[in-house]
């Protein structure tokens, strides 16, 4: 774990932080997540509560955005219908790289109790999902914890090579 340690040196009384470009970029990305608000059903109420004053996402650097072009995280909260799946994919494609997806609630994860012809049986059939939140409807604390897990995941990624690899593919 010594390779993840950032060293602080002092040169003539001025502190200097040494670290790799990956660490610095990932630190900035993980501490400034801007999720796209995409509430589809009852889970959206819990997502809105997470942005409220009691749970305060702002202290994590997480600010909800309404535009996909300004977002890097998509939180899908609720039941996704097949009619709406095309729009979900379009919004995902409009988000800039790097981007992450959180599937919130049993209905978004697996279709939940709505196993019908009109319901997508899991958002991962439409777009790639990074974190799944179980429950009906998951509490705001669960979404907060999921975002902290996502921050840890982002800090472990290789920032430079992942971007260039995605462009080449």
């Amino acid at each position: 774990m010594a390779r993840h340690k950032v060293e602080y040196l002092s040169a003539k009384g001025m502190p200097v932080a040494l670290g790799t470009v990956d660490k610095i970029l990932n630190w900035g990305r993980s501490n400034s997540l801007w999720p796209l608000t995409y509430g589809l059903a009852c889970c959206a109420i819990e997502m809105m509560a997470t942005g409220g004053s009691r749970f305060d996402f702002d202290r994590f650097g997480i600010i909800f955005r309404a535009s996909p072009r300004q977002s890097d995280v998509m939180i899908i909260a609720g039941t996704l219908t097949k009619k709406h799946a095309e729009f979900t994919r379009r919004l995902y494609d409009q988000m800039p790289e790097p981007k992450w997806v959180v599937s919130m609630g049993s209905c978004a994860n697996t279709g939940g109790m709505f196993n019908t012809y009109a319901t997508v049986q899991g958002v991962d059939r439409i777009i790639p999902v990074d974190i799944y939140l179980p429950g009906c409807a998951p509490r705001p604390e669960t979404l907060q914890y999921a975002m902290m897990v996502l921050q840890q995941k982002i800090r472990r990624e290789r920032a430079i090579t992942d971007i260039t690899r995605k462009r080449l593919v």
Side-chain angles (χ1 to χ4, degrees), residues 1-161:
M1 289 292 163
R3 60 188 171 99
H4 295 290
K5 184 179 177 184
V6 177
E7 298 177 20
Y8 294 97
L9 302 175
S10 178
K12 297 183 182 179
M14 299 289 293
V16 177
L18 298 177
T20 64
V21 174
D22 280 339
K23 289 181 205 172
I24 294 168
L25 283 176
N26 288 338
W27 175 82
R29 286 181 184 155
S30 67
N31 289 325
S32 63
L33 295 175
W34 289 6
L36 173 65
T37 55
Y38 200 66
L40 299 171
C42 46
C43 291
I45 302 297
E46 301 296 326
M47 181 176 64
M48 286 185 265
T50 309
S53 61
R54 182 173 184 186
F55 300 101
D56 194 22
F57 253 10
D58 293 344
R59 64 189 160 132
F60 293 107
I62 299 171
I63 301 168
F64 285 110
R65 304 300 300 168
S67 170
R69 291 182 178 88
Q70 297 175 350
S71 303
D72 51 5
V73 178
M74 185 179 209
I75 301 174
I76 300 176
T79 309
L80 181 65
T81 61
K82 290 182 181 175
K83 196 175 202 179
H84 209 263
E86 176 188 347
F87 304 113
T88 305
R89 183 63 196 199
R90 187 180 306 161
L91 288 172
Y92 177 78
D93 290 339
Q94 289 176 357
M95 291 171 58
E97 292 286 341
K99 53 189 168 188
W100 301 275
V101 177
V102 176
S103 176
M104 182 175 177
S106 298
C107 295
N109 294 344
T110 62
M113 64 184 115
F114 305 107
N115 193 1
T116 66
Y117 68 93
T119 304
V120 176
Q121 301 301 308
V123 175
D124 55 352
R125 296 182 182 204
I126 308 300
I127 57 177
V129 175
D130 294 296
I131 295 182
Y132 296 91
L133 274 139
C136 181
R139 298 269 310 140
E141 297 94 347
T142 311
L143 180 57
Q144 234 175 9
Y145 180 71
M147 295 306 277
M148 288 190 286
V149 169
L150 182 62
Q151 285 177 331
Q152 292 170 358
K153 180 180 179 177
I154 293 169
R155 288 181 191 132
R156 286 191 306 264
E157 288 180 355
R158 296 178 61 193
I160 302 298
T161 55

